[in-house]
Amino acid sequence: MNRPLLMTRADASARPAGRLSLASSPSRPSRVLPSDELLAGGRELVIRHEGGEYFLRLTRNNKLILTK
């Protein structure tokens, strides 16, 4: 079973941007992008993937939700 990667703000700031290594793929670092940069001042972002659209939304409680 795949588990989501959980990071604290301190973990994210302790690593250089774009250089997060995952245990499952140590040779392929993931990019780290702040949510405010992704949303660019808005509350929703549409991600197109394999012909489908996914919606990343910022809730009233300042949580992120990804839906299809």
Side-chain angles (χ1 to χ4, degrees), residues 10 13 17-18 21 28 31-32 53-54 57:
S13 63
S21 293
R28 302 185 97 199
R31 294 179 359 185
V32 176
E53 288 188 343
Y54 296 80
R57 291 185 179 97

Side-chain angles (χ1 to χ4, degrees), residues 7 11-21 29-34 37:
M7 283 176 79
D11 292 336
S13 63
R15 301 181 198 315
R19 303 300 298 178
L20 173 66
S21 293
S30 295
R31 294 179 359 185
V32 176
L33 299 172
E37 284 184 26

Side-chain angles (χ1 to χ4, degrees), residues 18-67:
R19 303 300 298 178
L20 173 66
S21 293
L22 302 176
S24 61
S25 58
S27 63
R28 302 185 97 199
S30 295
R31 294 179 359 185
V32 176
L33 299 172
S35 61
D36 56 340
E37 284 184 26
L38 282 174
L39 295 168
R43 300 198 63 85
E44 181 177 275
L45 169 71
V46 178
I47 301 168
R48 291 192 180 134
H49 178 69
E50 294 185 353
E53 288 188 343
Y54 296 80
F55 301 91
L56 182 65
R57 291 185 179 97
L58 182 62
T59 69
R60 285 185 220 146
N61 295 324
N62 211 33
K63 304 288 182 182
L64 293 173
I65 298 178
L66 182 65
T67 57

